[in-house]
């Protein structure tokens, strides 16, 4: 039925259609509006993990000339990635490329090459990357972080508590008691309880192995290798071949740890090191296992 509108002048009314105009579609919220850097920062900070990720993007200069090609290897989660980029490309460019290769978001990436690479505006040439250099990537997927932070069920807690109570602490086991009874070495590096430091630029020394011999650990991150040095020899171990790393604080000296490095397929190949300074334990695990571990 037509709706009739009448002008105030008394003119003949014109019929208008009763059909309503179509409602314009409501615009969907843009996915791009989500600030991934802030999200990553919030998650990491809420887990007490790393320092907060800045939401401010550093100014990255525009690359006019990419320069000569540099070919190097990236090690992440025990996998090697061959990367070829121009030497004038920036660390930011590299991280963007890494994200396409590994699906690891750029805010979650930590690159290790002669120490932690912090400045994203530096070029590969500035880093002095050479042919066949090795760079280590440390990072964890957002989904893994959420999974770590998921509250376990009552049955899982009970099972975990039961199994852990059955296992005797390392410092109480006969194998380790013999070594610990000899006391802390006089040249042991100072240990610090409750703090976490990155790997020192010099070897970690002043430790002993299960025979009581002196041990030092040297990390060659650019070569993805760990050098285990004793008085008699130095064993160069490819870190990708190491199965796992375990550690526990020494009961009467919690500023030091007992650490086991599994060099082969079974626990019989565990290489035990004693009086490891506690502040370096997490950095050692990160470097060897090739992944970031949340701090709790």
């Amino acid at each position: 039925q037509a709706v009739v509108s009448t002008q105030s002048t008394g003119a003949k009314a014109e019929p208008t259609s009763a059909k309503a105009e179509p409602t314009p579609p409501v615009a969907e919220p843009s996915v791009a509006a989500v600030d991934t850097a802030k999200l990553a920062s919030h998650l990491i900070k809420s887990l007490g993990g790393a320092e907060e990720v800045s939401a401010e993007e550093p100014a990255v200069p525009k690359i006019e000339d990419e320069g000569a090609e540099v070919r190097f290897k990236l090690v992440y989660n025990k996998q090697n990635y061959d990367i070829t980029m121009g030497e004038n490309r920036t660390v930011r460019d590299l991280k963007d490329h890494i994200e396409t290769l590994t699906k690891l978001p750029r805010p979650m990436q930590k690159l290790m090459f002669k120490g932690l690479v912090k400045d994203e505006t530096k070029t590969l040439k500035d880093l002095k990357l050479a042919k066949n250099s090795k760079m280590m990537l440390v990072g964890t997927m957002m989904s893994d972080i959420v999974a770590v932070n998921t509250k376990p069920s009552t049955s899982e807690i009970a099972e975990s508590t039961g199994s852990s109570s059955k296992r005797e602490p390392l410092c109480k086991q006969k194998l380790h008691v013999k070594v610990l009874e000899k006391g802390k070495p006089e040249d042991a590096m100072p240990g610090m309880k409750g703090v976490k430091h990155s790997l020192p630029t010099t070897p970690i020394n002043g430790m002993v192995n299960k025979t009581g011999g002196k041990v030092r650990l040297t990390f060659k991150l650019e070569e993805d290798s760990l050098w285990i040095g004793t008085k008699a020899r130095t064993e160069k171990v490819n870190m990708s071949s190491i199965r796992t790393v375990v550690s526990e604080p020494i009961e009467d000296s919690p500023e030091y740890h007992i650490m086991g490095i599994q060099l082969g397929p079974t626990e019989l190949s565990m290489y035990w090191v004693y009086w490891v300074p506690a502040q370096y334990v997490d950095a050692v695990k990160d470097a060897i296992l090739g992944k970031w571990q949340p701090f709790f």
Side-chain angles (χ1 to χ4, degrees), residues 17 29 32 68 78 90 102 111 129 139-140 187 191 193 208 225 250 253-254:
S17 172
K78 298 191 177 182
T90 64
T102 65
L111 294 175
L129 274 169
T140 299
D187 60 345
K193 177 186 174 183
V208 296
S225 64
I250 297 175
S253 303

Side-chain angles (χ1 to χ4, degrees), residues 83-137:
I83 296 180
T84 302
M85 296 185 74
E87 64 179 3
N88 292 335
R89 298 290 292 273
T90 64
V91 172
R92 167 69 181 275
D93 293 331
L94 173 59
K95 286 188 173 183
D96 287 339
H97 181 56
I98 289 173
E99 184 168 349
T100 64
L101 289 176
T102 65
K103 309 304 180 186
L104 180 66
R106 180 172 52 81
M108 307 296 291
Q109 298 176 23
K110 284 190 176 183
L111 294 175
M112 303 289 293
F113 182 73
K114 299 179 180 178
L116 179 64
V117 180
K118 296 182 179 180
D119 189 352
E120 291 192 347
T121 64
K122 282 190 174 183
T123 65
L124 304 187
K125 186 177 182 180
D126 294 334
L127 298 181
K128 294 181 171 53
L129 274 169
K131 184 179 179 181
N132 297 328
S133 292
K134 282 194 177 182
M135 177 179 284
M136 177 167 289
L137 170 63

